[in-house]
Amino acid sequence: MAISKDEVIHIAKLACLNLSEQEIEGYTKDMQEILEFANRINKVNTDGLNETIAANEKCNVLRKDEVLNFANRELLLQNAPSQDEGMFRIPKVLN
Amino acid sequence: MELYEYTVHELVEMLEKGQTTSEEITKSYFDRIKEIDPKVKAYVSTLEDEAIAKAKKVDEDRKAGKPVSKFAGIPIGIKDNMCITGTKTTCSSKMLENFVAPYDATVIEKLNKEDLVYLGKLNMDEFAMGSSTEHSAFFPTKNPWDLDRVPGGSSGGSAAAVAADIAPWTLGSDTGGSIRQPASLCGVVGLKPTYGLVSRYGLVAFASSLDQIGPLTKDVTDAAMLLNLIAGHDEKDSTSIDLGEKDYTKALVNDVKGMRIGIPKEYLGEGINEEVKQAILDVAKKYEEMGAIVEDCSFEVGQYATSVYYIIADAEASSNLGRFDGIRYGYRSEKYDNLKDIYKNSRSEGFGPEVKRRIMIGTYVLSSGYYDAYYKKAQKVRTVIKNAYDELFGKYDLLLTPTSPTTAFKMGEKSNNPLEMYLADICTVPVNIGGVPAINVPCSLDSQGMPIGFQLIGKSFDEETILRAAYSYEQNTNFRQNKPTFKGGNS
Amino acid sequence: MAREDYEIVIGLEVHCELSTKTKIFCSCSTEFGGEPNTHCCPICMAMPGTLPVLNEKVVEYAVKAGLATNCSIEKNSKNDRKNYFYPDNPKSYQISQFDKPLCYDGHVTIETEDGEKEIRIERIHIEEDAGKLNHDEYGRGSFVDLNRAGVPLIEVVSKPDMRSAKEVESYMRKLKSIFEYIEISDCKMQEGSLRADVNVSVRKKGASEFGTRTEMKNMNSFRSIVRAIEYEAERQIEEIEAGNKITQETLRWDDVSGRTFSMRDKEDAQDYRYFPEPDLVALKVSDEYIENIRKSLPELPESRRKRYIEEYELTEKAANFVTGSKYYSILFEESIKVCNNPKTVGNLIMSDIARILNEREEEPEDLKFGGSELGELVILIDKGTISSAIAKKVLEELFNEVKMPSKIIEEKGWIQISDEGAIKEVVMKILENNPQSIVDYKAGKDRALGFLVGQAMKETRGKANPQMLNKMFLDELNK
């Protein structure tokens, strides 16, 4: 199944990436190749098999409902590109 | 013999006997780093002041007779995708170039308890996506055996540092071979533990269901010791397994009599370099001499593992890397006047081409209309691969394969063809898909003088058998006589 | 075609914040409010390398909700990632549930004019709440506060079974009261802990196909939900009547202008790329676990309703009303312990207390006084110490300040006059001052009696025992 330029543009939108014309060209070609390679899995018979969800069969890993506050806002905000009044600042968005 | 040439278990002994101090060891490493790293470029950042201070403190405690861990004051290098509070964790990406971690990874907490000394953070392919460390956003790391060749990847910095004696041991992470393949190309020991044995908390995620942290060391004994330090259940990682206390050094026994080793013929076929193939057959012969039962076997479905891998790993990555949006941390583009631009421009300028390629593929295979054909099918084939391993390990204690189909390739040789680069992982990827443990052990040099390594694959949570076999091989051979030459590098 | 030829079809996605101490995937407090980003840690701030661990209480509460709404419980459940970029969604994926929700196929019963109606529940799943965006009026931008990010939610998805705004309100009220009874949420709508996405479509009566629906997100008051539905249905009908098509879209209801607005910015290219959350493991629920929770459930509104009718002989109406809120129901049961007069208590709650709450724009959970106060009030009425007129005034007082009614009427001097002599005095005085009324009465105008009683009430500022007044006037007039 061939992947079109428009699909690549759509995928870039979903992934929040700006691609230059030439990147789109390049990725279209690369993705085509890689996905063809990926398609080989269809040669494997998987009838009646469940998909693996996690790499091991653990289940029900649960945490007690006990508060443990991190209590160091500075440490959490120190990497913010723009902050104000203890909040992350972004351009105005209407909601 | 210089301090930086010793293995960790030798240094531990010397510290216990008072023959040296942590400060001496640490300083000898920084002197060595200053001399060698400009050529090898293994470190993204070094932590000299903190390290020396810590070393002095440990030495004082030792002198004062305070109870200290036997590893207290031993230096270590950390792949730059593990968080250490207050230090930069960049994943070799422009996106995190200035990111200072606000917390410690669980493996770091464990090393802190033992008072290890951090030399610095090690270079890698951006966000661990690659097999050559050429995809680092900062600079490529060179192979100490030939500076014109790649060290492998993505933990290229971690492997090159150990090979070049600019770290006694290091931590790497392995999603599809990122510990074992560079270990093989640099001639060091590299262990990928069973998925769930080592906590992933604080390891910047590439592919959540495949990532594992593991040791890169000069020999198998050091690997067992470092595994002791980092393994164990962690409540912060839902996928981590509780096996209770284990001492992997107990597995270091020079005896493989009766051990059943299978050699999947698929990994001695096409695509595998002739010299590598021969080296693996020699290793097999050696094991037979040592009393193991070596048999050919088949792992047919393994040939699909790489396809499965690039679907699952990229799908998970496309989601895991969504958090890099230029809002709370990381790179924010200068060019924006609305929210969408912050997202799009920051991500487009902050991620390198390979990372974007993977995000694109991962987004594609998860997008509506393709999910079942790719992701869901891949997860089913993954089940087939797991079952195939179960079947093989019903017959064999270990599987023996090459770690890499070739020895270290030249810089730039594959970097322009993603698919070819992906094939560098064909021997290592199935192991992550199955979640089983595997080790790279260096065994010989090819005609170019480049290291060849073999891979031993074991049952889930049976690291002991792997370590025992690897240790026995090491005890009956002498690869460590060879030393990197640092040739080339003028081109 | 006219308005009444159309049928409105409504389905709800109700989001309910669970009242756990900690967030769903980390140990941060869920407390409402607090300085921005102070109930946060590296995990709920989506710092690189962090991992989620599921809070056991979230599973317990969700299963409770499922059992209380007649759902089946999924024995092999799991969490999934819902991928989308928005500043209040720090990981750029929300951990939710896709194809294996914890609860499915349930229903609740609501009361409508034409009797009981079953509203089917398609599924209840667990997920994490988003953070908050604050906007400042100086246009300096928007500000991200992640205190709420990771607070546990259940999403209750109904079938499109509702046909009027009224039905939607009683369905929401029913869910609210159930969740209050089983104590999984404080359901404070003004704090957003109970809110709904409302899907509205219209179709010609008798049509089998559904119309195109529009969705109004995050509605958090009964009033605006009702208004929004009525407005939106009206709008859709007008569009159709005008020969236009309805476009499926997300709308924002604006309470001030009373209109809905399109939110195109959120519309483009939604493809959530759900896939199983690889950082979490499977969630297997055992029969034993389910049974233990079932046993722990308190008596639910349904059975209380029946019990109130049988045991206490409340009318259908009163029983529905009182059990409609856990807080009414508690007030009722505490009060009758004190006064043993269910009828009067029921009526006071249904009429006066509800009325006053309404006037004050408060909800039953805001009631400050309890059974001991209301119970005593009813005793005072029964003993004839106060008239029902006074009782209303006492209630008003109770809303302002919680005090024992006996104390209130004593302080206000509202005790009813039931003393023969005192009443006689008043009666004579009024008759003396109103000779014309006597003439009128004798002339057969019964209204005159009412007038005289009213005068006497005025004279005693409502404290005279009305029955006694009546009797005495009659005696005098018929002499």
Side-chain angles (χ1 to χ4, degrees):
Chain A
M1 94 182 87
I3 174 162
S4 72
K5 246 176 88 172
D6 290 355
E7 275 183 298
V8 172
I9 293 165
H10 169 69
I11 294 300
K13 195 172 178 188
L14 284 179
C16 263
L17 292 171
N18 264 343
L19 300 184
S20 67
E21 255 314 306
Q22 130 204 48
E23 277 177 306
I24 293 168
E25 295 289 344
Y27 285 140
T28 313
K29 180 181 152 295
D30 294 347
M31 287 170 74
Q32 183 64 51
E33 252 180 70
I34 294 160
L35 290 167
E36 263 166 30
F37 177 74
N39 271 318
R40 298 168 65 251
I41 58 173
N42 292 308
K43 300 205 192 90
V44 184
N45 176 358
T46 55
D47 298 352
L49 282 174
N50 295 331
E51 55 265 43
T52 298
I53 303 293
N56 54 41
E57 282 74 33
K58 281 188 85 180
C59 69
N60 298 355
V61 176
L62 297 163
R63 204 188 80 240
K64 289 249 167 297
D65 186 28
E66 288 159 2
V67 176
L68 194 139
N69 282 320
F70 185 72
N72 188 340
R73 184 166 73 174
E74 281 329 294
L75 219 46
L76 294 172
L77 295 175
Q78 70 188 356
N79 290 293
S82 172
Q83 57 163 300
D84 200 344
E85 297 156 349
M87 291 180 279
F88 303 103
R89 187 170 163 184
I90 55 175
K92 182 129 182 69
V93 288
L94 19 104
N95 61 340
Chain B
M1 186 163 165
E2 300 290 337
L3 278 169
Y4 55 71
E5 293 176 275
Y6 291 96
T7 62
V8 170
H9 56 89
E10 287 162 344
L11 291 174
V12 164
E13 237 186 287
M14 292 162 73
L15 281 171
E16 275 168 350
K17 294 195 181 123
Q19 291 163 345
T20 184
T21 66
S22 172
E23 189 179 356
E24 285 171 6
I25 298 169
T26 308
K27 282 188 167 150
S28 85
Y29 270 105
F30 280 106
D31 294 343
R32 173 77 172 174
I33 288 169
K34 291 188 189 91
E35 178 199 345
I36 298 293
D37 200 46
K39 293 190 214 149
V40 177
K41 294 186 155 300
Y43 283 94
V44 171
S45 59
T46 52
L47 300 163
E48 183 161 13
D49 299 348
E50 299 90 322
I52 305 278
K54 177 82 185 245
K56 284 188 170 144
K57 166 99 179 38
V58 170
D59 288 333
E60 283 160 22
D61 291 356
R62 260 214 184 78
K63 250 215 238 78
K66 291 192 189 156
V68 293
S69 144
K70 72 186 214 181
F71 296 99
I74 295 289
I76 187 166
I78 307 293
K79 187 178 183 179
D80 207 14
N81 59 352
M82 299 174 212
C83 292
I84 305 180
T85 308
T87 70
K88 282 189 183 176
T89 298
T90 71
C91 293
S92 291
S93 178
K94 183 176 176 187
M95 181 60 83
L96 289 178
E97 193 164 5
N98 301 305
F99 176 75
V100 177
Y103 72 102
D104 281 326
T106 296
V107 288
I108 296 301
E109 273 180 2
K110 285 170 171 281
L111 297 184
N112 288 344
K113 280 205 196 70
E114 307 289 327
D115 285 313
L116 268 74
V117 172
Y118 304 112
L119 295 170
K121 306 296 291 289
L122 293 154
N123 199 21
M124 55 192 279
D125 287 294
E126 184 177 0
F127 284 104
M129 297 174 179
S131 311
S132 69
T133 316
E134 292 168 291
H135 293 308
S136 165
F138 306 140
F139 45 77
T141 296
K142 316 289 178 62
N143 190 314
W145 299 79
D146 178 346
L147 299 172
D148 297 325
R149 294 175 185 266
V150 302
S154 67
S155 311
S158 302
V162 173
D165 287 333
I166 51 179
W169 58 6
T170 63
L171 286 184
S173 68
D174 190 316
T175 306
S178 284
I179 288 174
R180 291 156 289 156
Q181 183 257 14
S184 174
L185 272 48
C186 291
V188 300
V189 173
L191 174 69
K192 199 284 294 187
T194 310
Y195 184 86
L197 183 63
V198 179
S199 171
R200 292 182 294 120
Y201 189 78
L203 168 70
V204 181
F206 164 11
S208 307
S209 73
L210 302 165
D211 296 340
Q212 265 294 286
I213 294 171
L216 292 100
T217 58
K218 293 179 176 179
D219 70 3
V220 176
T221 305
D222 282 3
M225 285 179 160
L226 189 45
L227 186 61
N228 276 347
L229 297 187
I230 60 173
H233 178 246
D234 178 16
E235 291 177 343
K236 297 202 201 80
D237 177 355
S238 306
T239 63
S240 106
I241 303 283
D242 192 352
L243 301 172
E245 276 303 301
K246 268 199 173 195
D247 177 1
Y248 291 98
T249 60
K250 288 210 171 70
L252 301 172
V253 180
N254 181 3
D255 174 17
V256 294
K257 281 185 206 61
M259 208 181 266
R260 298 161 306 165
I261 301 177
I263 306 183
K265 56 180 185 319
E266 292 80 7
Y267 296 96
L268 292 177
E270 59 159 313
I272 308 295
N273 162 289
E274 276 306 317
E275 289 188 73
V276 172
K277 206 181 296 177
Q278 193 48 54
I280 300 307
L281 294 173
D282 295 343
V283 171
K285 185 146 6 83
K286 188 79 197 167
Y287 272 116
E288 271 179 325
E289 287 166 24
M290 289 156 58
I293 304 149
V294 182
E295 273 174 29
D296 289 349
C297 64
S298 172
F299 184 55
E300 232 204 310
V301 70
Q303 65 182 300
Y304 301 106
T306 313
S307 300
V308 170
Y309 174 80
Y310 281 98
I311 293 168
I312 292 172
D314 292 359
E316 292 179 358
S318 71
S319 175
N320 285 334
L321 270 58
R323 70 189 56 199
F324 301 105
D325 56 12
I327 292 177
R328 296 167 316 288
Y329 49 77
Y331 177 81
R332 179 185 286 194
S333 170
E334 305 286 320
K335 303 202 277 332
Y336 70 85
D337 44 26
N338 60 49
L339 180 67
K340 273 217 156 43
D341 291 348
I342 288 195
Y343 280 127
K344 292 193 163 193
N345 297 341
S346 303
R347 289 167 61 77
S348 305
E349 296 162 25
F351 291 135
E354 178 62 17
V355 173
K356 285 191 257 185
R357 187 180 291 116
R358 308 269 191 129
I359 291 175
M360 289 292 288
I361 293 164
T363 305
Y364 181 85
V365 297
L366 288 176
S367 63
S368 69
Y370 299 107
Y371 179 84
D372 288 12
Y374 287 105
Y375 190 80
K376 200 166 186 179
K377 177 74 180 182
Q379 290 289 32
K380 286 184 174 177
V381 177
R382 186 176 190 176
T383 307
V384 178
I385 291 170
K386 282 160 142 310
N387 295 345
Y389 272 121
D390 291 346
E391 206 176 304
L392 281 169
F393 287 123
K395 291 205 211 82
Y396 306 105
D397 301 306
L398 292 171
L399 301 178
L400 169 65
T401 75
T403 305
S404 166
T406 67
T407 53
F409 43 92
K410 285 253 181 347
M411 297 259 176
E413 193 179 318
K414 296 184 179 176
S415 49
N416 41 22
N417 182 336
L419 199 50
E420 205 181 313
M421 183 73 84
Y422 295 178
L423 295 177
D425 300 331
I426 49 169
C427 305
T428 49
V429 154
V431 169
N432 301 75
I433 298 299
V436 295
I439 195 170
N440 171 76
V441 182
C443 55
S444 56
L445 300 178
D446 69 3
S447 50
Q448 309 286 316
M450 298 308 291
I452 301 173
F454 66 89
Q455 173 173 246
L456 291 172
I457 307 169
K459 290 189 200 63
S460 286
F461 302 107
D462 187 15
E463 276 74 6
E464 285 91 340
T465 306
I466 292 177
L467 288 165
R468 179 179 187 144
Y471 178 78
S472 305
Y473 179 86
E474 202 175 57
Q475 293 302 304
N476 295 279
T477 53
N478 49 18
F479 176 83
R480 287 201 68 236
Q481 281 181 344
N482 309 298
K483 282 273 170 195
T485 57
F486 304 99
K487 70 182 177 198
N490 316 314
S491 53
Chain C
M1 253 189 158
R3 170 76 176 72
E4 52 281 0
D5 300 323
Y6 285 89
E7 175 180 56
I8 312 174
V9 176
I10 310 144
L12 252 60
E13 289 157 28
V14 174
H15 291 87
C16 174
E17 275 184 359
L18 300 177
S19 52
T20 55
K21 290 197 209 70
T22 68
K23 292 185 177 181
I24 181 167
F25 298 121
C26 66
S27 303
C28 291
S29 164
T30 53
E31 207 183 309
F32 180 74
E35 281 293 296
N37 295 311
T38 50
H39 299 163
C40 293
C41 71
I43 298 168
C44 51
M45 269 209 178
M47 288 292 165
T50 54
L51 298 170
V53 183
L54 181 56
N55 179 344
E56 62 180 7
K57 274 265 177 267
V58 172
V59 179
E60 180 190 323
Y61 283 9
V63 169
K64 266 192 173 149
L67 294 175
T69 53
N70 312 294
C71 286
S72 311
I73 305 301
E74 174 62 61
K75 299 222 172 64
N76 295 298
S77 192
K78 66 177 170 73
N79 299 89
D80 300 277
R81 289 186 184 181
K82 178 183 184 180
N83 297 282
Y84 67 95
F85 289 88
Y86 207 66
D88 63 8
N89 178 28
K91 295 188 297 297
S92 294
Y93 57 82
Q94 176 195 32
I95 303 178
S96 178
Q97 296 191 288
F98 182 51
D99 55 341
K100 295 246 179 231
L102 206 43
C103 320
Y104 61 96
D105 288 352
H107 69 268
V108 295
T109 310
I110 61 169
E111 291 77 29
T112 69
E113 300 90 338
D114 12 335
E116 292 189 349
K117 176 172 178 181
E118 226 176 59
I119 306 298
R120 291 168 302 159
I121 290 171
E122 186 176 305
R123 55 184 285 159
I124 301 176
H125 69 255
I126 56 175
E127 62 184 24
E128 55 186 332
D129 206 345
K132 266 179 111 289
L133 296 190
N134 301 309
H135 311 280
D136 84 343
E137 53 281 13
Y138 318 110
R140 273 155 60 244
S142 300
F143 301 85
V144 187
D145 171 8
L146 296 175
N147 281 350
R148 202 183 62 183
V151 168
L153 292 175
I154 51 172
E155 180 176 329
V156 184
V157 181
S158 85
K159 295 271 189 195
D161 285 354
M162 286 156 277
R163 294 292 176 268
S164 71
K166 232 173 163 2
E167 286 185 12
V168 170
E169 178 169 1
S170 37
Y171 168 72
M172 284 272 299
R173 288 199 181 273
K174 176 68 83 173
L175 281 186
K176 186 170 185 284
S177 75
I178 291 172
F179 294 161
E180 285 167 351
Y181 279 108
I182 62 177
E183 292 173 335
I184 60 165
S185 171
D186 61 19
C187 294
K188 288 193 181 142
M189 295 183 89
Q190 63 280 13
E191 287 179 16
S193 43
L194 188 73
R195 49 189 201 266
D197 300 346
V198 183
N199 292 287
V200 179
S201 69
V202 300
R203 63 176 169 187
K204 301 261 166 64
K205 288 209 173 114
S208 52
E209 297 291 301
F210 286 125
T212 311
R213 63 185 164 79
T214 57
E215 181 177 31
M216 294 175 283
K217 287 199 173 290
N218 287 320
M219 309 286 295
N220 65 350
S221 94
F222 291 120
R223 226 176 118 269
S224 36
I225 289 174
V226 170
R227 286 178 65 209
I229 291 171
E230 277 157 2
Y231 171 88
E232 180 56 16
E234 208 54 54
R235 186 189 69 83
Q236 289 186 16
I237 290 167
E238 279 164 22
E239 288 288 336
I240 293 167
E241 286 295 304
N244 303 326
K245 284 220 170 307
I246 305 297
T247 37
Q248 176 159 1
E249 60 182 334
T250 306
L251 301 172
R252 182 174 56 86
W253 165 254
D254 179 53
D255 235 339
V256 185
S257 65
R259 296 187 45 220
T260 53
F261 295 93
S262 172
M263 302 171 67
R264 290 244 154 51
D265 55 321
K266 276 196 178 178
E267 279 306 286
D268 50 40
Q270 285 301 34
D271 179 351
Y272 291 126
R273 287 158 286 136
Y274 280 98
F275 74 101
E277 164 60 284
D279 287 327
L280 291 170
V281 297
L283 188 55
K284 296 199 194 304
V285 185
S286 70
D287 295 318
E288 187 198 5
Y289 179 85
I290 297 170
E291 279 326 298
N292 287 336
I293 290 181
R294 202 189 293 280
K295 284 198 211 85
S296 79
L297 288 175
E299 185 186 14
L300 294 170
E302 267 323 289
S303 94
R304 285 184 195 235
R305 213 176 113 258
K306 296 199 174 63
R307 187 160 61 82
Y308 287 6
I309 294 167
E310 286 154 15
E311 262 177 57
Y312 305 129
E313 295 166 338
L314 291 197
T315 61
E316 274 280 342
K317 188 154 172 288
N320 287 344
F321 190 88
V322 172
T323 55
S325 157
K326 168 192 169 193
Y327 301 93
Y328 282 155
S329 174
I330 289 169
L331 179 63
F332 174 80
E333 297 199 359
E334 282 178 354
S335 304
I336 60 176
K337 278 199 211 100
V338 177
C339 68
N340 187 28
N341 180 347
K343 246 186 178 39
T344 312
V345 173
N347 290 332
L348 281 176
I349 292 176
M350 181 165 51
S351 55
D352 300 298
I353 292 174
R355 191 197 78 247
I356 300 167
L357 273 178
N358 205 339
E359 285 161 5
R360 300 166 64 101
E361 290 182 1
E362 288 180 342
E363 290 293 321
E365 57 261 43
D366 303 318
L367 284 170
K368 285 166 208 69
F369 59 90
S372 43
E373 288 80 16
L374 186 57
E376 195 201 43
L377 182 64
V378 172
I379 290 173
L380 291 171
I381 298 168
D382 292 346
K383 281 201 313 213
T385 317
I386 56 169
S387 64
S388 51
I390 295 292
K392 291 188 195 328
K393 289 162 84 176
V394 175
L395 271 175
E396 302 272 1
E397 282 305 310
L398 280 174
F399 275 84
N400 300 327
E401 182 187 13
V402 179
K403 261 192 192 172
M404 289 313 281
S406 49
K407 195 133 181 41
I408 295 175
I409 59 174
E410 184 193 318
E411 286 170 5
K412 303 268 179 183
W414 284 344
I415 298 156
Q416 180 163 265
I417 307 168
S418 306
D419 166 64
E420 289 266 348
I423 300 230
K424 179 121 191 174
E425 222 167 90
V426 183
V427 169
M428 295 327 268
K429 182 164 175 229
I430 299 294
L431 286 171
E432 207 178 309
N433 300 344
N434 299 283
Q436 184 54 42
S437 304
I438 304 174
V439 179
D440 293 347
Y441 181 79
K442 299 217 186 271
K445 294 189 184 155
D446 295 357
R447 279 194 288 97
L449 174 63
F451 172 77
L452 292 165
V453 174
Q455 291 300 306
M457 273 296 180
K458 201 183 272 163
E459 179 75 18
T460 57
R461 302 203 312 292
K463 291 186 289 176
N465 181 322
Q467 291 81 7
M468 288 176 74
L469 271 182
N470 244 313
K471 188 172 171 306
M472 235 174 257
F473 271 113
L474 282 173
D475 296 349
E476 291 303 319
L477 289 165
N478 300 334
K479 267 187 187 160

